[in-house]
Amino acid sequence: MEITHQRTAQLLDLPAELIIHILSNLDFVDALAVSSVNVFLRTCLITSRQLEFRFASQIAGVTDNLHRKLGLDDRVRMLRRLEDGWHGFQVDFRRTLPILHEPFGIYDLTGGIYLMGDLNQKVLHYCRLPSSADDSVVWSRIDMDPSLTIVDVGLSIYEHDLIAVVTTMPTDTNLLKVEVQLLEFSTGKPHPLVRNPVLFVRNTFRPTASSIGIEIAGEYLALVTTPGLSELTARFCVYEWKTGTIVLDYSVASGTYCSIIFLSPTHILLPNAQTGTLDLFVISPSNPNTPGPSLRLALPSLKPSYSIHAIYGRCEPNPSPTGFPYSPHPFHPTPEDAIAVFKLHVRNNNDAAHEWGDFSMFVHRSTLLRLCEERGRDRETTRTVNWEEWGPPVTRWVDAAVVPWWITTSTGQRCVLSVAPDALGEGLTPFIMLLDFNPFAVKRALAVRKYNGNKGSDVDGRCNVHVGSSLIQSSVFDACVESALPYVSIVRYLDVDVNFDGVLMDEERLLGLATDDGGNIRKIEVFHIGNDQSGLSS
């Protein structure tokens, strides 16, 4: 009897389309390793536009926007142009935005929008920032009911076309009623998805809340209020913004929290100025009256004569579980990989009028979420993790020399630093510095450095890679603060006609701000990042 042996199907027997699909589900490094064992696999890797965009996106740290219909060739071209622009710190066009109203302290930069408050606190002014040299730039406005006073705003442009306006209104009992008005950003009208367009927050004594933090991610709107001077408690609450249901409600001492970072749609981190910690809360709709944070990550301890006056935190963009349906762009920075920026304002308790210290700390959102999931899981009491246990290898600290107090200075894994003109020494040229915490950017810079003979910078001398530990030696801390998160820095000196008091950034632009003696913004200069350099000197 003749026995026949049936050949088992092999990977290479599959059609090229299926092989490309399989490779597209791998990490870039793994796909590169697989392709090195076979000529056909390598050909699939280097000739497929699908794989080129997939892995270029992974290296750049961006997420494909499935709501935007655009061919792969155009997506690849746009991504490479933007990445080349950031790597070279190149500007393809420049635009001046004059300020035509009397500004107020409220401002935000997100979703391709720059928004400002008005001195009368009744109107919000915003501008859709240009993406091409042909785009027109006009200021638009959202007028609130004259009986309401605008205190702060939260934006979710690309995910929900939502603006949440925190307002106050006098009551018959001489109190101020704090509310959140939920509006559709594109129309200024009540948002069509909400059950009630007004969320009640609290009644407060005058003066009104001195500080409010508000963020939106997915189904949730988180809010921190610091009350008037005659009240001792502040409130941290989270709403299901579509239904108005409160899913987390926590009262703390006034001055404890002033900003919010969503680590995921259900994990929220608040910098705590009273304890010098980063406090993690987990949303549990079935138990809104939380007893407190599930985990605290301690910051470096201060000397007894010093205390933290405030900690501000931001991580842009916010988690977006439904994607970016209202965005015109084909890709956006991956929220999970974004760098979180914490700005600490430290004061001397014995000489608070004169002696202060300002510091910034950078850490990836994914790192904070991982720590919270590993250290804070299934615990009924709050656990505090000491700074030395978690901080030095995964953070990077910068001292006051280049710490601006604008908070909208990062997007994705990049951050921009600048020095105000009055802080520069005589004869020094103003500059801006771009920090890139993307691990692939670090690997690329290390490869360039090796090619250049380990000189520490690229061929133009302005790009440096930082992979070792750095120490901040300051009189405010108990010990030197060590940090070692790798990053790449690129310095660009400004033209003689450019003089900024602060520099902000979003996904595709730098915004230079010029202010008056009172700190009010009087002019905005927009630098769009692209291939052709202009507006920044070499």
Side-chain angles (χ1 to χ4, degrees), residues 12-236:
L12 297 180
D13 296 328
L14 297 174
E17 292 81 0
L18 285 180
I19 292 177
I20 289 172
H21 178 73
I22 292 170
L23 291 175
S24 71
N25 286 279
L26 297 178
D27 180 90
F28 169 70
V29 176
D30 293 334
L32 198 61
V34 169
S35 69
S36 67
V37 304
N38 181 274
V39 174
F40 178 68
L41 291 176
R42 182 161 184 80
T43 300
C44 289
L45 180 67
I46 64 178
T47 60
S48 167
R49 284 303 242 185
Q50 176 185 343
L51 292 181
E52 182 181 7
F53 179 69
R54 156 74 174 155
F55 295 134
S57 298
Q58 190 177 113
I59 292 170
V62 301
T63 297
D64 190 15
N65 180 12
L66 300 178
H67 299 275
R68 177 76 160 92
K69 302 301 181 183
L70 193 68
L72 280 174
D73 287 347
D74 289 331
R75 289 176 186 265
V76 170
R77 176 183 56 79
M78 292 177 67
L79 179 58
R80 292 206 181 282
R81 179 180 180 185
L82 184 61
E83 287 301 296
D84 288 346
W86 281 118
H87 287 308
F89 225 151
Q90 297 174 348
V91 174
D92 56 3
F93 70 88
R94 174 177 168 180
R95 191 73 60 82
T96 300
L97 302 183
I99 307 303
L100 305 177
H101 63 279
E102 195 64 29
F104 180 62
I106 295 172
Y107 84 99
D108 205 350
L109 172 63
T110 187
I113 299 292
Y114 187 81
L115 179 143
M116 301 179 68
D118 197 294
L119 185 62
N120 64 17
Q121 295 183 255
K122 307 294 182 182
V123 179
L124 294 170
H125 302 263
Y126 68 90
C127 177
R128 296 188 183 275
L129 298 172
S131 291
S132 73
D134 297 328
D135 288 347
S136 60
V137 177
V138 294
W139 285 99
S140 302
R141 54 189 284 163
I142 297 175
D143 291 89
M144 303 301 295
D145 187 298
S147 65
L148 302 176
T149 297
I150 300 171
V151 178
D152 209 339
V153 297
L155 296 168
S156 178
I157 302 296
Y158 287 155
E159 187 180 14
H160 297 301
D161 189 25
L162 171 67
I163 178 170
V165 186
V166 184
T167 61
T168 60
M169 182 174 65
T171 68
D172 295 336
T173 56
N174 205 34
L175 295 174
L176 287 173
K177 181 166 62 173
V178 182
E179 298 174 317
V180 180
Q181 318 291 325
L182 301 173
L183 307 177
E184 188 177 36
F185 183 81
S186 58
T187 65
K189 298 178 179 179
H191 200 284
L193 297 182
V194 299
R195 182 180 299 170
N196 186 337
V198 180
L199 303 178
F200 173 76
V201 179
R202 67 182 296 166
N203 288 322
T204 184
F205 293 105
R206 303 185 187 199
T208 186
S210 58
S211 177
I212 286 182
I214 180 171
E215 293 290 340
I216 304 164
E219 302 299 308
Y220 297 119
L221 181 152
L223 186 74
V224 169
T225 61
T226 297
L229 300 177
S230 58
E231 298 171 89
L232 300 178
T233 60
R235 186 183 182 202
F236 166 50

Side-chain angles (χ1 to χ4, degrees), residues 516-527:
D516 59 20
D517 293 339
N520 295 310
I521 299 171
R522 292 302 177 185
K523 186 178 75 169
I524 302 173
E525 200 77 13
V526 178
F527 297 90

Side-chain angles (χ1 to χ4, degrees), residues 288-308:
N289 296 313
T290 177
S294 60
L295 183 72
R296 280 182 167 148
L297 300 175
L299 298 173
S301 56
L302 305 179
K303 289 183 178 178
S305 58
Y306 289 88
S307 62
I308 298 175

Side-chain angles (χ1 to χ4, degrees), residues 376-390:
R377 183 179 299 167
D378 302 326
R379 299 187 66 87
E380 294 182 359
T381 58
T382 301
R383 176 188 178 186
T384 299
V385 182
N386 292 330
W387 161 254
E388 293 77 13
E389 294 181 52
W390 76 272

